[in-house]
Amino acid sequence: TATLTSFIAKLSTGSVTAFLSINTSGSPVTGGTLNIGTTQVSSALTTANIMTAGNTLILTVSGTANSPAILSFTVDFTRTFS
């Protein structure tokens, strides 16, 4: 299993909103949307942040009217081996 611990993001220009979810775009592990712009932002994740084999991590981005470019992001996690 993997425990997601943080989401960090930044754009070179413009702004968007984004959130991370596991297996469905309806349950954000970021606790809601994160406003991303040209300054690095981060989000602590909710308790629904556990991934197991076969799970899909989904990044949902919206609000592209502000001419966003070059989205850089990092998802930190810890992994448990059994």
Side-chain angles (χ1 to χ4, degrees):
T1 62
T3 302
L4 306 179
T5 56
S6 70
F7 172 59
I8 303 163
K10 179 181 177 181
L11 286 165
S12 63
T13 62
S15 63
V16 295
T17 58
F19 64 88
L20 286 176
S21 55
I22 299 171
N23 292 332
T24 174
S25 60
S27 301
V29 296
T30 47
T33 58
L34 187 63
N35 294 316
I36 302 171
T38 57
T39 302
Q40 182 174 295
V41 294
S42 64
S43 174
L45 304 182
T46 67
T47 57
N49 61 343
I50 307 297
M51 292 191 71
T52 59
N55 285 167
T56 302
L57 183 63
I58 301 167
L59 173 61
T60 302
V61 178
S62 60
T64 58
N66 297 314
S67 302
I70 309 175
L71 172 62
S72 303
F73 68 95
T74 303
V75 178
D76 295 323
F77 65 93
T78 57
R79 172 111 191 239
T80 304
F81 295 96
S82 10

